[in-house]
Amino acid sequence: MRKFVPDDSDSNINIYSNWKPGLRVLVNGGAGFLGSHLSERLLQAGHEVICLDDFSTGRLTNIEHLMSNSRLTVMEHDVRHPYDLDVSIIFNFASPASPPDYQRDPVGTLLTNVIGALNVLELARRTGATVVQSSTSEVYGDPHINPQPESYFGNVNPIGPRACYDEGKRSAETLFFDYHRSFGVDIKVGRIFNTYGPRMRRDDGRVVSNFIVQALQNQDITIYGDGKQTRSFCYVDDLIEGFLRFAVKSPDCCGPINIGNPAEIPVRQLADIVIAMTNSKSRVVHLPAAVDDPQQRRPDISRARQELKWQPRVNLERGLEKTIRYFDALLSSEKVVEAV
């Protein structure tokens, strides 16, 4: 198997294209929202992609347009169980990521993140592969400082209903850095902030998909809490570009690095924007606040700018326009199926 050789050139926007085509790349969670976009970009660059997914939250429809590509292999597997593949680079994106999904099976979520991290690190240790971990802004919990730099240790409730995900990702980071220090595994840890775009599930429970689907159907837009809590939304193409840039950096660049959009907006303002962009007749209703819901979420991306020469390029309105178009088409197709 050809050894992955990083290229630290910073001049090319699509820096990952400096990899020589033909690398064998494993994408855990490759049929999920983010994993499918990542798999698509890797195939476009001429690489061989193994899409590994247990399809608990990932969907074949996310990758069906890629299935005719002979360089794509789809493998149904649960990362909590060991596996052995000969690959040059691994992207570990396998985990439920929305609160309804990860709270549905909290024990399974924790094990997916911890045992899944252990198994992927053991694979990287055996093969010498570079392994890129999708961590999360949830490691910061309900932060006491804003924006959140990578040096901030966070404010996480370890026994709350969100802890299965928050602490699962924090524990995974511990494993990644211990494997790096103890065994020399080449790791990259990126902390993902709220990301949105096409291929989100309409029922995944995240705020952007909830608001858009509700607005398109003229239903009440539901906000948990007073709506003053803030989020920073990164369009999926920008997020994937950040991870691809990170992956090609030399082994001494291992993170953690925040990858997200620093443009902060109150949730209530997002609802008003979506209503206006969809010409919806929806009204906003408030429900009780979710337990341990962070009141602020904004990344400090100084490290990403400096080390990856990366920053988001798609503004919120443009990203929402693309996402609304996707959900409008999805809902329209569902109506056609129901009518048949």
Side-chain angles (χ1 to χ4, degrees), residues 32-88:
F33 165 46
L34 297 180
S36 64
H37 284 275
L38 175 60
S39 297
E40 184 174 45
R41 292 279 293 274
L42 290 166
L43 288 169
Q44 288 171 353
H47 303 299
E48 182 181 348
V49 175
I50 301 174
C51 168
L52 185 148
D53 207 298
D54 70 353
F55 297 100
S56 56
T57 57
R59 299 175 299 170
L60 273 175
T61 54
N62 285 338
I63 55 172
E64 62 183 359
H65 65 295
L66 306 174
M67 299 291 281
S68 61
N69 192 317
S70 62
R71 287 181 281 104
L72 175 69
T73 300
V74 179
M75 178 178 174
E76 186 171 355
H77 186 80
D78 186 332
V79 295
R80 292 175 292 185
H81 303 296
Y83 48 99
D84 197 18
L85 296 165
D86 190 12
V87 292
S88 298

Short mmCIF file of all heavy atoms in Angstrom, two decimals, residues 32-88:
data_model
loop_
_atom_site.label_atom_id
_atom_site.label_comp_id
_atom_site.label_asym_id
_atom_site.label_seq_id
_atom_site.Cartn_x
_atom_site.Cartn_y
_atom_site.Cartn_z
N GLY A 32 -23.12 9.11 5.91
CA GLY A 32 -23.78 10.14 6.68
C GLY A 32 -23.76 11.48 5.98
O GLY A 32 -23.24 11.62 4.86
N PHE A 33 -24.31 12.48 6.63
CA PHE A 33 -24.37 13.83 6.07
C PHE A 33 -22.97 14.33 5.69
O PHE A 33 -22.70 14.63 4.52
CB PHE A 33 -25.04 14.74 7.10
CG PHE A 33 -24.86 16.22 6.85
CD1 PHE A 33 -25.04 16.78 5.59
CD2 PHE A 33 -24.52 17.07 7.90
CE1 PHE A 33 -24.87 18.15 5.37
CE2 PHE A 33 -24.38 18.43 7.71
CZ PHE A 33 -24.54 18.97 6.44
N LEU A 34 -22.07 14.37 6.64
CA LEU A 34 -20.72 14.86 6.36
C LEU A 34 -19.89 13.83 5.59
O LEU A 34 -19.17 14.17 4.65
CB LEU A 34 -20.00 15.23 7.66
CG LEU A 34 -20.62 16.36 8.47
CD1 LEU A 34 -19.78 16.61 9.74
CD2 LEU A 34 -20.71 17.64 7.65
N GLY A 35 -19.99 12.57 5.99
CA GLY A 35 -19.18 11.53 5.36
C GLY A 35 -19.45 11.38 3.88
O GLY A 35 -18.53 11.10 3.09
N SER A 36 -20.70 11.57 3.45
CA SER A 36 -21.01 11.44 2.03
C SER A 36 -20.39 12.57 1.21
O SER A 36 -19.90 12.35 0.10
CB SER A 36 -22.53 11.40 1.81
OG SER A 36 -23.15 12.60 2.20
N HIS A 37 -20.40 13.78 1.76
CA HIS A 37 -19.75 14.90 1.08
C HIS A 37 -18.24 14.68 1.00
O HIS A 37 -17.61 14.97 -0.03
CB HIS A 37 -20.06 16.21 1.79
CG HIS A 37 -21.43 16.73 1.54
ND1 HIS A 37 -21.76 17.50 0.44
CD2 HIS A 37 -22.58 16.59 2.24
CE1 HIS A 37 -23.04 17.81 0.47
NE2 HIS A 37 -23.57 17.27 1.56
N LEU A 38 -17.67 14.16 2.07
CA LEU A 38 -16.24 13.88 2.08
C LEU A 38 -15.90 12.80 1.07
O LEU A 38 -14.94 12.93 0.30
CB LEU A 38 -15.83 13.45 3.49
CG LEU A 38 -14.39 13.00 3.68
CD1 LEU A 38 -13.41 14.11 3.31
CD2 LEU A 38 -14.16 12.54 5.12
N SER A 39 -16.68 11.72 1.04
CA SER A 39 -16.43 10.64 0.08
C SER A 39 -16.50 11.16 -1.35
O SER A 39 -15.68 10.79 -2.21
CB SER A 39 -17.46 9.52 0.28
OG SER A 39 -17.33 8.93 1.56
N GLU A 40 -17.47 12.02 -1.61
CA GLU A 40 -17.63 12.59 -2.95
C GLU A 40 -16.40 13.39 -3.35
O GLU A 40 -15.89 13.24 -4.48
CB GLU A 40 -18.87 13.47 -2.97
CG GLU A 40 -19.21 14.05 -4.33
CD GLU A 40 -20.54 14.78 -4.29
OE1 GLU A 40 -20.78 15.54 -3.33
OE2 GLU A 40 -21.34 14.58 -5.21
N ARG A 41 -15.90 14.21 -2.46
CA ARG A 41 -14.73 15.03 -2.77
C ARG A 41 -13.49 14.17 -3.01
O ARG A 41 -12.67 14.46 -3.89
CB ARG A 41 -14.46 16.03 -1.64
CG ARG A 41 -15.52 17.11 -1.48
CD ARG A 41 -15.35 18.25 -2.46
NE ARG A 41 -14.15 19.03 -2.23
CZ ARG A 41 -14.06 20.05 -1.38
NH1 ARG A 41 -15.11 20.41 -0.64
NH2 ARG A 41 -12.92 20.72 -1.25
N LEU A 42 -13.34 13.13 -2.23
CA LEU A 42 -12.19 12.25 -2.39
C LEU A 42 -12.24 11.51 -3.72
O LEU A 42 -11.22 11.34 -4.40
CB LEU A 42 -12.12 11.27 -1.22
CG LEU A 42 -11.75 11.88 0.14
CD1 LEU A 42 -12.06 10.90 1.26
CD2 LEU A 42 -10.28 12.29 0.17
N LEU A 43 -13.41 11.05 -4.10
CA LEU A 43 -13.56 10.39 -5.40
C LEU A 43 -13.28 11.35 -6.54
O LEU A 43 -12.63 10.99 -7.54
CB LEU A 43 -14.96 9.80 -5.53
CG LEU A 43 -15.28 8.58 -4.67
CD1 LEU A 43 -16.76 8.27 -4.71
CD2 LEU A 43 -14.46 7.36 -5.14
N GLN A 44 -13.73 12.58 -6.41
CA GLN A 44 -13.47 13.59 -7.44
C GLN A 44 -11.97 13.83 -7.61
O GLN A 44 -11.51 14.17 -8.70
CB GLN A 44 -14.18 14.90 -7.07
CG GLN A 44 -15.69 14.87 -7.23
CD GLN A 44 -16.36 16.10 -6.66
OE1 GLN A 44 -15.72 16.95 -6.03
NE2 GLN A 44 -17.66 16.21 -6.87
N ALA A 45 -11.22 13.65 -6.53
CA ALA A 45 -9.77 13.85 -6.58
C ALA A 45 -9.02 12.63 -7.09
O ALA A 45 -7.79 12.65 -7.19
CB ALA A 45 -9.25 14.25 -5.19
N GLY A 46 -9.75 11.55 -7.41
CA GLY A 46 -9.11 10.39 -8.01
C GLY A 46 -8.68 9.32 -7.04
O GLY A 46 -7.90 8.43 -7.40
N HIS A 47 -9.18 9.36 -5.81
CA HIS A 47 -8.79 8.37 -4.82
C HIS A 47 -9.77 7.21 -4.77
O HIS A 47 -10.91 7.31 -5.22
CB HIS A 47 -8.67 9.02 -3.44
CG HIS A 47 -7.70 10.17 -3.42
ND1 HIS A 47 -6.38 10.03 -3.73
CD2 HIS A 47 -7.90 11.49 -3.15
CE1 HIS A 47 -5.78 11.20 -3.65
NE2 HIS A 47 -6.69 12.11 -3.31
N GLU A 48 -9.31 6.11 -4.19
CA GLU A 48 -10.17 4.97 -3.92
C GLU A 48 -10.76 5.15 -2.53
O GLU A 48 -10.03 5.43 -1.57
CB GLU A 48 -9.35 3.67 -3.98
CG GLU A 48 -10.17 2.42 -3.75
CD GLU A 48 -9.32 1.16 -3.79
OE1 GLU A 48 -8.15 1.24 -4.21
OE2 GLU A 48 -9.84 0.10 -3.37
N VAL A 49 -12.07 5.02 -2.41
CA VAL A 49 -12.75 5.29 -1.14
C VAL A 49 -13.48 4.06 -0.66
O VAL A 49 -14.26 3.45 -1.40
CB VAL A 49 -13.74 6.47 -1.28
CG1 VAL A 49 -14.54 6.67 0.01
CG2 VAL A 49 -13.00 7.75 -1.65
N ILE A 50 -13.23 3.70 0.60
CA ILE A 50 -14.03 2.68 1.27
C ILE A 50 -14.98 3.42 2.20
O ILE A 50 -14.55 4.08 3.15
CB ILE A 50 -13.15 1.71 2.07
CG1 ILE A 50 -12.15 1.00 1.15
CG2 ILE A 50 -14.01 0.69 2.81
CD1 ILE A 50 -11.15 0.14 1.89
N CYS A 51 -16.24 3.31 1.91
CA CYS A 51 -17.29 3.95 2.72
C CYS A 51 -17.80 2.92 3.71
O CYS A 51 -18.49 1.98 3.34
CB CYS A 51 -18.41 4.45 1.81
SG CYS A 51 -19.91 4.95 2.68
N LEU A 52 -17.43 3.09 4.98
CA LEU A 52 -17.83 2.15 6.03
C LEU A 52 -18.92 2.80 6.87
O LEU A 52 -18.74 3.91 7.37
CB LEU A 52 -16.61 1.77 6.88
CG LEU A 52 -16.81 0.70 7.95
CD1 LEU A 52 -15.51 -0.09 8.13
CD2 LEU A 52 -17.23 1.31 9.28
N ASP A 53 -20.06 2.10 7.02
CA ASP A 53 -21.19 2.68 7.74
C ASP A 53 -22.09 1.56 8.24
O ASP A 53 -22.23 0.54 7.56
CB ASP A 53 -21.99 3.61 6.81
CG ASP A 53 -22.72 4.71 7.55
OD1 ASP A 53 -23.59 4.38 8.37
OD2 ASP A 53 -22.43 5.89 7.31
N ASP A 54 -22.68 1.75 9.42
CA ASP A 54 -23.64 0.75 9.89
C ASP A 54 -25.07 1.14 9.55
O ASP A 54 -26.01 0.40 9.85
CB ASP A 54 -23.49 0.51 11.40
CG ASP A 54 -23.95 1.69 12.25
OD1 ASP A 54 -24.25 2.76 11.67
OD2 ASP A 54 -23.98 1.56 13.49
N PHE A 55 -25.24 2.30 8.93
CA PHE A 55 -26.52 2.81 8.43
C PHE A 55 -27.55 3.00 9.55
O PHE A 55 -28.74 2.93 9.32
CB PHE A 55 -27.08 1.91 7.32
CG PHE A 55 -26.18 1.87 6.12
CD1 PHE A 55 -25.31 0.81 5.91
CD2 PHE A 55 -26.16 2.93 5.23
CE1 PHE A 55 -24.46 0.79 4.82
CE2 PHE A 55 -25.32 2.93 4.13
CZ PHE A 55 -24.46 1.87 3.93
N SER A 56 -27.06 3.30 10.75
CA SER A 56 -27.98 3.64 11.83
C SER A 56 -28.50 5.06 11.64
O SER A 56 -29.67 5.34 11.91
CB SER A 56 -27.29 3.50 13.19
OG SER A 56 -26.11 4.30 13.25
N THR A 57 -27.64 5.96 11.19
CA THR A 57 -28.08 7.32 10.84
C THR A 57 -27.67 7.69 9.42
O THR A 57 -28.26 8.59 8.83
CB THR A 57 -27.51 8.37 11.82
OG1 THR A 57 -26.08 8.29 11.84
CG2 THR A 57 -28.04 8.14 13.23
N GLY A 58 -26.68 7.02 8.86
CA GLY A 58 -26.32 7.23 7.46
C GLY A 58 -27.35 6.59 6.54
O GLY A 58 -28.11 5.71 6.95
N ARG A 59 -27.35 7.03 5.27
CA ARG A 59 -28.35 6.54 4.32
C ARG A 59 -27.70 6.25 2.97
O ARG A 59 -26.85 7.02 2.50
CB ARG A 59 -29.45 7.59 4.13
CG ARG A 59 -30.22 7.93 5.38
CD ARG A 59 -31.20 9.06 5.11
NE ARG A 59 -30.50 10.27 4.68
CZ ARG A 59 -31.10 11.35 4.20
NH1 ARG A 59 -32.40 11.36 4.02
NH2 ARG A 59 -30.40 12.41 3.85
N LEU A 60 -28.15 5.17 2.35
CA LEU A 60 -27.65 4.84 1.01
C LEU A 60 -27.99 5.94 0.00
O LEU A 60 -27.25 6.15 -0.96
CB LEU A 60 -28.22 3.51 0.54
CG LEU A 60 -27.45 2.25 0.96
CD1 LEU A 60 -28.22 1.01 0.54
CD2 LEU A 60 -26.05 2.24 0.35
N THR A 61 -29.11 6.63 0.21
CA THR A 61 -29.49 7.69 -0.72
C THR A 61 -28.45 8.80 -0.78
O THR A 61 -28.36 9.52 -1.77
CB THR A 61 -30.85 8.28 -0.34
OG1 THR A 61 -30.84 8.71 1.03
CG2 THR A 61 -31.96 7.27 -0.55
N ASN A 62 -27.67 8.96 0.30
CA ASN A 62 -26.64 10.00 0.30
C ASN A 62 -25.49 9.70 -0.66
O ASN A 62 -24.77 10.61 -1.08
CB ASN A 62 -26.06 10.18 1.71
CG ASN A 62 -26.99 10.91 2.65
OD1 ASN A 62 -27.88 11.63 2.21
ND2 ASN A 62 -26.79 10.73 3.95
N ILE A 63 -25.30 8.42 -0.96
CA ILE A 63 -24.16 8.04 -1.80
C ILE A 63 -24.59 7.31 -3.07
O ILE A 63 -23.73 6.84 -3.82
CB ILE A 63 -23.15 7.16 -1.03
CG1 ILE A 63 -23.85 5.93 -0.42
CG2 ILE A 63 -22.47 7.97 0.07
CD1 ILE A 63 -22.88 4.93 0.20
N GLU A 64 -25.89 7.21 -3.33
CA GLU A 64 -26.33 6.45 -4.50
C GLU A 64 -25.80 7.04 -5.80
O GLU A 64 -25.56 6.31 -6.77
CB GLU A 64 -27.85 6.34 -4.53
CG GLU A 64 -28.60 7.64 -4.64
CD GLU A 64 -30.10 7.44 -4.58
OE1 GLU A 64 -30.54 6.27 -4.47
OE2 GLU A 64 -30.84 8.43 -4.62
N HIS A 65 -25.59 8.36 -5.83
CA HIS A 65 -25.05 8.98 -7.05
C HIS A 65 -23.58 8.66 -7.25
O HIS A 65 -23.02 8.94 -8.31
CB HIS A 65 -25.25 10.50 -6.99
CG HIS A 65 -24.48 11.18 -5.90
ND1 HIS A 65 -24.73 10.98 -4.56
CD2 HIS A 65 -23.45 12.07 -5.96
CE1 HIS A 65 -23.90 11.71 -3.84
NE2 HIS A 65 -23.11 12.37 -4.67
N LEU A 66 -22.95 8.06 -6.24
CA LEU A 66 -21.54 7.67 -6.33
C LEU A 66 -21.37 6.19 -6.61
O LEU A 66 -20.24 5.74 -6.89
CB LEU A 66 -20.82 8.01 -5.02
CG LEU A 66 -20.92 9.45 -4.50
CD1 LEU A 66 -20.26 9.56 -3.13
CD2 LEU A 66 -20.27 10.42 -5.48
N MET A 67 -22.44 5.41 -6.55
CA MET A 67 -22.33 3.96 -6.57
C MET A 67 -21.79 3.41 -7.89
O MET A 67 -21.23 2.30 -7.93
CB MET A 67 -23.70 3.33 -6.29
CG MET A 67 -24.26 3.70 -4.92
SD MET A 67 -23.36 2.98 -3.54
CE MET A 67 -24.01 1.33 -3.54
N SER A 68 -21.93 4.15 -8.95
CA SER A 68 -21.42 3.67 -10.23
C SER A 68 -19.92 3.86 -10.37
O SER A 68 -19.31 3.38 -11.33
CB SER A 68 -22.13 4.39 -11.39
OG SER A 68 -21.89 5.79 -11.33
N ASN A 69 -19.30 4.56 -9.43
CA ASN A 69 -17.86 4.80 -9.47
C ASN A 69 -17.13 3.54 -9.01
O ASN A 69 -17.33 3.08 -7.87
CB ASN A 69 -17.50 5.99 -8.59
CG ASN A 69 -16.09 6.48 -8.82
OD1 ASN A 69 -15.15 5.70 -8.93
ND2 ASN A 69 -15.93 7.79 -8.88
N SER A 70 -16.30 3.00 -9.86
CA SER A 70 -15.60 1.75 -9.54
C SER A 70 -14.60 1.90 -8.40
O SER A 70 -14.14 0.90 -7.84
CB SER A 70 -14.88 1.21 -10.79
OG SER A 70 -13.90 2.14 -11.22
N ARG A 71 -14.26 3.15 -8.05
CA ARG A 71 -13.30 3.38 -6.96
C ARG A 71 -13.98 3.50 -5.60
O ARG A 71 -13.32 3.74 -4.60
CB ARG A 71 -12.47 4.63 -7.25
CG ARG A 71 -11.44 4.43 -8.35
CD ARG A 71 -10.60 5.66 -8.62
NE ARG A 71 -11.33 6.63 -9.44
CZ ARG A 71 -11.88 7.75 -8.99
NH1 ARG A 71 -11.80 8.04 -7.69
NH2 ARG A 71 -12.52 8.57 -9.80
N LEU A 72 -15.29 3.31 -5.55
CA LEU A 72 -16.03 3.33 -4.29
C LEU A 72 -16.40 1.92 -3.87
O LEU A 72 -16.96 1.14 -4.64
CB LEU A 72 -17.30 4.16 -4.43
CG LEU A 72 -18.22 4.16 -3.19
CD1 LEU A 72 -17.58 4.92 -2.04
CD2 LEU A 72 -19.59 4.74 -3.52
N THR A 73 -16.09 1.59 -2.62
CA THR A 73 -16.51 0.34 -2.01
C THR A 73 -17.35 0.68 -0.78
O THR A 73 -16.93 1.48 0.06
CB THR A 73 -15.30 -0.51 -1.56
OG1 THR A 73 -14.50 -0.82 -2.70
CG2 THR A 73 -15.76 -1.79 -0.90
N VAL A 74 -18.54 0.11 -0.70
CA VAL A 74 -19.43 0.34 0.45
C VAL A 74 -19.37 -0.89 1.35
O VAL A 74 -19.57 -2.02 0.90
CB VAL A 74 -20.87 0.62 0.00
CG1 VAL A 74 -21.77 0.82 1.22
CG2 VAL A 74 -20.91 1.84 -0.91
N MET A 75 -19.09 -0.65 2.62
CA MET A 75 -18.93 -1.74 3.58
C MET A 75 -19.83 -1.47 4.78
O MET A 75 -19.67 -0.46 5.47
CB MET A 75 -17.45 -1.82 4.01
CG MET A 75 -17.14 -2.86 5.04
SD MET A 75 -15.35 -2.87 5.40
CE MET A 75 -15.28 -4.04 6.74
N GLU A 76 -20.78 -2.35 5.02
CA GLU A 76 -21.66 -2.19 6.18
C GLU A 76 -20.98 -2.80 7.40
O GLU A 76 -20.70 -4.00 7.46
CB GLU A 76 -23.01 -2.86 5.94
CG GLU A 76 -24.01 -2.60 7.06
CD GLU A 76 -25.42 -3.07 6.73
OE1 GLU A 76 -25.65 -3.52 5.58
OE2 GLU A 76 -26.28 -2.97 7.62
N HIS A 77 -20.70 -1.96 8.40
CA HIS A 77 -19.97 -2.42 9.58
C HIS A 77 -20.17 -1.44 10.72
O HIS A 77 -20.26 -0.23 10.51
CB HIS A 77 -18.47 -2.56 9.26
CG HIS A 77 -17.69 -3.18 10.38
ND1 HIS A 77 -17.66 -4.53 10.60
CD2 HIS A 77 -16.91 -2.61 11.34
CE1 HIS A 77 -16.90 -4.79 11.65
NE2 HIS A 77 -16.43 -3.63 12.12
N ASP A 78 -20.21 -1.95 11.92
CA ASP A 78 -20.31 -1.16 13.15
C ASP A 78 -18.89 -0.94 13.70
O ASP A 78 -18.19 -1.92 13.99
CB ASP A 78 -21.18 -1.91 14.17
CG ASP A 78 -21.47 -1.11 15.41
OD1 ASP A 78 -20.67 -0.23 15.78
OD2 ASP A 78 -22.51 -1.37 16.05
N VAL A 79 -18.48 0.31 13.85
CA VAL A 79 -17.10 0.60 14.26
C VAL A 79 -16.81 0.15 15.68
O VAL A 79 -15.64 0.13 16.10
CB VAL A 79 -16.77 2.10 14.12
CG1 VAL A 79 -16.81 2.54 12.67
CG2 VAL A 79 -17.69 2.96 14.99
N ARG A 80 -17.83 -0.26 16.41
CA ARG A 80 -17.59 -0.78 17.76
C ARG A 80 -16.96 -2.17 17.72
O ARG A 80 -16.48 -2.67 18.75
CB ARG A 80 -18.90 -0.81 18.56
CG ARG A 80 -19.43 0.58 18.89
CD ARG A 80 -20.79 0.52 19.58
NE ARG A 80 -21.84 0.04 18.68
CZ ARG A 80 -23.12 -0.02 19.01
NH1 ARG A 80 -23.51 0.37 20.21
NH2 ARG A 80 -24.01 -0.45 18.14
N HIS A 81 -16.97 -2.78 16.54
CA HIS A 81 -16.35 -4.09 16.36
C HIS A 81 -15.09 -3.92 15.52
O HIS A 81 -15.07 -3.15 14.54
CB HIS A 81 -17.32 -5.05 15.68
CG HIS A 81 -18.62 -5.21 16.41
ND1 HIS A 81 -18.71 -5.75 17.67
CD2 HIS A 81 -19.89 -4.86 16.06
CE1 HIS A 81 -19.96 -5.74 18.08
NE2 HIS A 81 -20.70 -5.20 17.12
N PRO A 82 -14.00 -4.64 15.87
CA PRO A 82 -12.74 -4.48 15.14
C PRO A 82 -12.88 -4.81 13.66
O PRO A 82 -13.77 -5.58 13.25
CB PRO A 82 -11.80 -5.47 15.84
CG PRO A 82 -12.40 -5.68 17.19
CD PRO A 82 -13.89 -5.59 16.99
N TYR A 83 -12.00 -4.26 12.85
CA TYR A 83 -11.97 -4.52 11.42
C TYR A 83 -10.55 -4.32 10.94
O TYR A 83 -9.73 -3.68 11.62
CB TYR A 83 -12.93 -3.60 10.66
CG TYR A 83 -12.83 -2.13 11.04
CD1 TYR A 83 -12.10 -1.23 10.27
CD2 TYR A 83 -13.46 -1.65 12.18
CE1 TYR A 83 -12.01 0.11 10.63
CE2 TYR A 83 -13.38 -0.32 12.55
CZ TYR A 83 -12.65 0.55 11.77
OH TYR A 83 -12.54 1.86 12.13
N ASP A 84 -10.24 -4.88 9.79
CA ASP A 84 -8.86 -4.82 9.28
C ASP A 84 -8.90 -4.48 7.80
O ASP A 84 -9.44 -5.24 7.00
CB ASP A 84 -8.16 -6.17 9.51
CG ASP A 84 -6.65 -6.05 9.39
OD1 ASP A 84 -6.14 -4.91 9.46
OD2 ASP A 84 -5.99 -7.09 9.21
N LEU A 85 -8.35 -3.34 7.45
CA LEU A 85 -8.30 -2.88 6.07
C LEU A 85 -6.94 -2.28 5.79
O LEU A 85 -6.31 -1.71 6.68
CB LEU A 85 -9.39 -1.83 5.81
CG LEU A 85 -10.84 -2.29 5.94
CD1 LEU A 85 -11.78 -1.09 6.02
CD2 LEU A 85 -11.22 -3.18 4.75
N ASP A 86 -6.49 -2.40 4.55
CA ASP A 86 -5.21 -1.84 4.15
C ASP A 86 -5.47 -0.48 3.50
O ASP A 86 -5.92 -0.41 2.36
CB ASP A 86 -4.52 -2.79 3.17
CG ASP A 86 -3.07 -2.37 2.90
OD1 ASP A 86 -2.56 -1.50 3.63
OD2 ASP A 86 -2.48 -2.92 1.95
N VAL A 87 -5.23 0.59 4.25
CA VAL A 87 -5.53 1.94 3.78
C VAL A 87 -4.39 2.88 4.14
O VAL A 87 -3.56 2.60 5.00
CB VAL A 87 -6.85 2.47 4.39
CG1 VAL A 87 -8.04 1.69 3.86
CG2 VAL A 87 -6.81 2.43 5.91
N SER A 88 -4.35 4.02 3.45
CA SER A 88 -3.31 5.02 3.68
C SER A 88 -3.76 6.13 4.63
O SER A 88 -2.95 6.73 5.33
CB SER A 88 -2.87 5.66 2.35
OG SER A 88 -2.33 4.70 1.49
#
